[in-house]
Amino acid sequence: MIAARQLRQACRHLAHRLRPLHPLEAEVCLLNTCNLKCIYCRCPAVELPQLSTSEWRAVIRRLASLGTLRLKFHGGEPTLRDDFVDLCAESRACGLITAAVTNGSLIPRRPALLQELDELVLSLDSPQQQSNDRLRGAGSHRLALQTLDIALGRSGLRVYINMVLTRHNLADLEEMLLFCEGRGIGFNAQPVVFGRGPYQELAPNGIALTGEEIREVHRRLASWKRQGRGLLFSVAAYEKAIAWPDLDQLTLPCEGISPCPAGRYYLRIEANGDVVPCCQYEASFKPMNIRRDGLDQALLHVRTHHCGDCWLAYYTERMEVFALKPAALWNTVRRG
């Protein structure tokens, strides 16, 4: 059944659909600082200037006026910012679905960090403490589970789990799905990826999956989804990775303006104000910056990128939704 919230969002989308700028979803990276040092992540080593509270407020208000439906706060660890709750409150006051991706480590001591959120994406790499903490650091499992309990106790807060799959926790995949299904939590499993760019040079030895292992993971995910199990994305999102010829090639460039909906219907704003299509694009593209060029110009410019396709389920699902593929649309409706 279609929820009232979904009907309101559909009406908001239709009202803005024909305008020159209509980003439906924005992922905003509030900072590149993190209090954890997960062994597969280089985020703590990426230093960028940060937009101020007033600058982010102005961005949120302008996105809302353009018909944006959902705003997702990222980092680093977004809850490290002192203005995190205030920015979430600004987003909700503007009528946006307000989400955050977090490691959950600060929330047990400060449950009020959740008070202005509609959706919480919690990073947890295993239901087993030893396996999770090997990847994410000592104590991270305990704090994430405490946060999960707090979040599940909040009425109206939708909770999801994101698991980064490496060689160290691959065996935990189905146990993690069972853990989420037992709590009514939507689940996403994302194989760690490094590609062939600069990120690959920083990849720690022995944690990346082989191409065939990644394909087998997606075969299992597609099979489980067909069985109606609690995975976030549609079967087509998982099947794309199975058919992708070279999984070390994360993206494919295109000639001319990209047909990918990234940059048009969803986008990412970095901590310093750069507006990019997504966190994965690899085609040559020099982003405009909100401070230097203004938000509207940056939003127009990001539509001109030349990254044509990729295989990650998260982005494939969005491509399917914005292409109005029935299976992906129905999966979105069922997810709520």
Side-chain angles (χ1 to χ4, degrees):
M1 179 180 292
I2 298 177
R5 177 181 68 87
Q6 292 173 320
L7 286 174
R8 289 195 299 271
Q9 296 298 322
C11 291
R12 183 183 177 104
H13 168 45
L14 291 173
H16 292 267
R17 173 83 183 196
L18 298 180
R19 297 186 179 186
L21 291 175
H22 47 266
L24 300 183
E25 182 177 10
E27 178 179 287
V28 298
C29 178
L30 291 179
L31 74 176
N32 283 92
T33 302
C34 188
N35 56 334
L36 299 185
K37 289 183 170 56
C38 303
I39 66 172
Y40 48 73
C41 181
R42 68 187 179 109
C43 184
V46 179
E47 295 184 8
L48 291 174
Q50 296 177 24
L51 296 185
S52 67
T53 303
S54 61
E55 288 173 316
W56 277 123
R57 285 183 183 276
V59 167
I60 292 167
R61 289 193 293 267
R62 180 57 178 151
L63 289 173
S65 75
L66 293 171
T68 299
L69 307 179
R70 181 172 182 261
L71 193 68
K72 182 168 64 172
F73 292 105
H74 264 256
E77 174 49 47
T79 62
L80 287 172
R81 275 191 62 136
D82 293 338
D83 58 2
F84 173 75
V85 175
D86 292 338
L87 294 177
C88 291
E90 183 75 42
S91 176
R92 291 185 88 189
C94 289
L96 306 181
I97 298 172
T98 302
V101 178
T102 176
N103 60 41
S105 60
L106 303 183
I107 293 167
R109 290 190 178 183
R110 298 176 57 200
L113 289 166
L114 299 178
Q115 69 188 22
E116 297 292 345
L117 287 176
D118 299 300
E119 298 177 358
L120 180 76
V121 182
L122 183 63
S123 299
L124 184 67
D125 289 342
S126 174
Q128 299 296 329
Q129 176 268 326
Q130 184 177 4
S131 181
N132 181 87
D133 288 4
R134 182 180 183 185
L135 293 166
R136 304 184 61 80
S140 59
H141 183 266
R142 172 178 54 83
L143 292 170
L145 291 193
Q146 290 176 2
T147 291
L148 183 58
D149 287 341
I150 294 168
L152 291 176
R154 286 188 173 259
S155 176
L157 179 62
R158 293 180 293 279
V159 182
Y160 308 97
I161 293 287
N162 186 70
M163 176 189 193
V164 178
L165 277 173
T166 73
R167 190 166 301 283
H168 296 329
N169 65 342
L170 181 58
D172 300 336
L173 176 58
E174 186 165 16
E175 185 181 356
M176 193 73 196
L177 175 57
L178 289 167
F179 174 91
C180 292
E181 288 175 328
R183 292 161 177 80
I185 302 168
F187 174 56
N188 177 48
Q190 171 57 59
V192 65
V193 292
F194 300 107
R196 293 197 178 92
Y199 201 179
Q200 185 183 39
E201 298 172 8
L202 300 174
N205 292 328
I207 72 166
L209 305 181
T210 66
E212 187 49 44
E213 285 172 328
I214 293 173
R215 289 188 181 89
E216 179 57 28
V217 164
H218 285 79
R219 290 187 191 102
R220 296 175 72 189
L221 295 173
S223 175
W224 289 334
K225 185 66 179 184
R226 290 190 190 94
Q227 296 168 22
R229 301 190 66 178
L231 296 162
L232 283 181
F233 303 132
S234 58
V235 171
Y238 301 121
E239 288 182 331
K240 187 173 182 179
I242 300 170
W244 196 265
D246 181 359
L247 291 164
D248 283 329
Q249 186 171 7
L250 305 183
T251 67
L252 293 176
C254 65
E255 294 185 7
I257 303 303
S258 175
C260 176
R264 289 180 292 139
Y265 295 124
Y266 58 90
L267 51 90
R268 177 179 172 93
I269 304 177
E270 300 289 1
N272 67 344
D274 283 349
V275 180
V276 299
C278 68
C279 69
Q280 180 160 306
Y281 79 97
E282 290 186 323
S284 58
F285 174 75
K286 185 176 181 180
M288 285 190 173
N289 182 273
I290 290 169
R291 282 178 170 168
R292 183 185 64 244
D293 306 299
L295 178 59
D296 282 21
Q297 285 302 310
L299 292 176
L300 285 169
H301 178 65
V302 76
R303 299 161 65 98
T304 67
H305 71 89
H306 305 291
C307 186
D309 202 2
C310 65
W311 61 263
L312 263 68
Y314 177 87
Y315 290 119
T316 296
E317 185 78 352
R318 275 149 179 74
M319 294 179 201
E320 294 279 307
V321 168
F322 292 121
L324 303 181
K325 297 294 182 67
L329 290 172
W330 177 237
N331 186 62
T332 301
V333 170
R334 292 183 62 189
R335 191 168 65 233

